[in-house]
């Protein structure tokens, strides 16, 4: 058990919907700033934003106090990813490594592009479908360098350490060997997922080849350094909320009561009436239309 829990506010698939994170004491915290990057030696924490096979584009709200998870909005409408043939929604558990930040003011030496202003993304390839807001421990296996509309957008490939097959995965070559076609499908998905919305295909550095574990860990460590500069006000966050409850050297640190006041001002916790509709696909298409 991670000791973390989550609390939904308002109904899913609405503009008001939020998922707040709590620590082991039941106090509200930021999944961006307060969850430690490391869960153990060579093991990272991952914040699950999007469960595998789902379509709603959920993400850590970097500009909101306490950075709850919410559904992305474009031109006033909630965002969903299309079912790209032959896939259904996201093909992994998708989320981010906390206490990382891809600095939009830094041009990456590998891609020649600046960061996308978000925590670094993770695709978790284990067998379990995780829950939105769940904090899991992952073993990093490799990384893909995507370029999204001119911005560097690294995609870490990892596996839940509690997965029954986790011991068999030590590097990206093990994914190629044990899950043939999965990495190719990952590139295909990221290349085409915005096309149904009228956008061009995404591009990749390194000819869309995955880099291995050591390279990936070095990239993650560099984004952790950029996050440290962000949360200690050594760099301009350009609107990012750095409110946190645990980072002692941060001028944005607040006490638990101040964090609670932020959440108390929102709609009440989501009860059973806020549960996911039974026919998810039918509901999804109604929203799209």
């Amino acid at each position: 058990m991670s000791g973390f829990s989550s609390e939904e506010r308002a109904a899913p698939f609405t503009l008001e919907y939020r998922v707040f994170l709590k620590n082991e004491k039941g106090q509200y915290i930021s999944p961006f700033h307060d969850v430690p990057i490391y869960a153990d030696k060579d093991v990272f924490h991952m914040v699950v934003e999007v469960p595998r096979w789902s379509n709603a584009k959920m993400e850590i709200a970097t500009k909101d106090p306490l950075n709850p998870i919410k559904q992305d909005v474009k031109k006033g409408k909630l965002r969903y990813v299309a079912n790209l043939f032959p896939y259904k929604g996201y093909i992994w558990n998708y989320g981010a490594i906390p206490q990382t930040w891809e600095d939009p003011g830094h041009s990456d030496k590998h891609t020649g592009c600046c960061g996308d202003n978000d925590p670094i993304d993770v695709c978790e390839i284990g067998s379990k479908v995780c829950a939105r807001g769940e904090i899991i421990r992952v073993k990093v296996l490799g990384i893909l360098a995507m370029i999204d509309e001119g911005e560097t957008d690294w995609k870490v490939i990892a596996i839940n350490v509690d997965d029954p097959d986790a011991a068999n995965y030590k590097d990206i070559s093990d994914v190629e060997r044990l899950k043939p076609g999965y990495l190719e499908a990952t590139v295909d998905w990221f290349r085409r997922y915005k096309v149904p919305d009228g956008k061009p295909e995404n591009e990749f550095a390194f000819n869309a080849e995955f880099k291995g574990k050591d390279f990936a860990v070095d990239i993650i460590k560099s984004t952790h350094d950029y996050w440290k500069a962000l949360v200690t006000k050594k760099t301009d966050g350009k609107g990012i909320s750095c409110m946190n409850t645990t980072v002692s050297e941060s001028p944005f640190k607040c006490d638990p009561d101040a964090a609670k006041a932020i959440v108390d001002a929102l709609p009440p916790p989501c009860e059973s009436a806020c549960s996911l509709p039974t026919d998810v696909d039918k509901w999804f298409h109604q929203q799209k239309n």
Side-chain angles (χ1 to χ4, degrees):
M1 295 295 291
S2 67
F4 300 102
S5 62
S6 62
E7 179 181 292
E8 294 180 302
R9 290 285 176 132
F13 317 116
T14 65
L15 293 171
E16 297 78 22
Y17 178 70
R18 301 289 186 273
V19 180
F20 285 92
L21 206 67
K22 293 180 177 180
N23 61 17
E24 68 282 356
K25 296 179 181 178
Q27 298 167 329
Y28 295 106
I29 60 172
S30 163
F32 188 0
H33 306 301
D34 291 318
V35 178
I37 181 174
Y38 293 104
D40 205 342
K41 186 177 185 298
D42 298 325
V43 177
F44 293 86
H45 277 124
M46 171 184 172
V47 181
V48 178
E49 297 166 313
V50 186
R52 185 190 286 114
W53 312 135
S54 62
N55 297 80
K57 192 178 188 302
M58 300 283 180
E59 59 186 17
I60 291 171
T62 57
K63 296 185 177 181
D64 292 3
L66 293 181
N67 317 113
I69 295 171
K70 68 177 183 180
Q71 190 165 353
D72 192 23
V73 176
K74 185 121 186 196
K75 295 181 180 178
K77 292 187 176 182
L78 297 167
R79 290 187 66 190
Y80 298 86
V81 299
N83 291 323
L84 290 176
F85 182 83
Y87 317 117
K88 168 67 178 76
Y90 287 74
I91 62 174
W92 348 254
N93 293 302
Y94 191 67
I97 295 178
Q99 296 188 340
T100 63
W101 181 53
E102 295 193 57
D103 185 354
H106 170 78
S107 180
D108 189 278
K109 66 180 179 181
H110 303 291
T111 66
C113 299
C114 294
D116 70 349
N117 206 27
D118 285 323
I120 197 166
D121 296 322
V122 192
C123 303
E124 193 280 318
I125 65 170
S127 57
K128 175 188 174 184
V129 176
C130 295
R132 187 183 308 126
E134 187 175 356
I135 307 298
I136 62 175
R137 300 174 301 144
V138 299
K139 182 195 303 187
V140 168
L141 304 172
I143 199 166
L144 176 69
M146 190 176 91
I147 300 172
D148 185 353
E149 299 183 32
E151 296 177 333
T152 301
D153 193 1
W154 293 103
K155 307 298 181 184
V156 175
I157 305 300
I159 189 167
N160 191 334
V161 297
D162 294 324
D163 189 271
D165 294 328
N168 297 324
Y169 291 86
K170 297 179 175 60
D171 212 319
I172 200 69
S173 59
D174 295 315
V175 184
E176 297 171 346
R177 177 173 58 89
L178 297 171
K179 290 182 179 286
Y182 204 3
L183 295 181
E184 291 84 351
T186 294
V187 172
D188 182 46
W189 195 96
F190 278 122
R191 189 188 303 277
R192 297 192 294 124
Y193 84 100
K194 289 187 175 181
V195 173
D197 294 328
K199 293 190 175 182
E201 292 184 347
N202 283 319
E203 299 177 341
F204 303 88
F206 306 117
N207 197 31
E209 295 177 359
F210 287 83
K211 294 296 184 179
K213 173 185 176 179
D214 291 343
F215 185 98
V217 170
D218 285 344
I219 294 295
I220 295 167
K221 287 180 178 178
S222 71
T223 62
H224 181 54
D225 289 338
Y226 297 135
W227 169 83
K228 286 180 183 176
L230 171 70
V231 81
T232 55
K233 212 174 181 179
K234 293 177 181 174
T235 192
D236 182 8
K238 294 179 171 50
I240 285 183
S241 173
C242 293
M243 184 180 188
N244 69 86
T245 65
T246 61
V247 186
S248 58
E249 63 270 31
S250 172
F252 306 102
K253 183 183 177 185
C254 69
D255 61 40
D257 288 339
K260 184 175 183 296
I262 294 290
V263 183
D264 286 346
L266 298 173
C270 186
E271 303 297 342
S272 58
C274 298
S275 60
L276 188 69
T278 303
D279 190 340
V280 178
D281 286 320
K282 180 179 178 182
W283 184 93
F284 169 69
H285 288 299
Q286 287 174 343
Q287 299 305 306
K288 291 287 284 185
N289 297 329

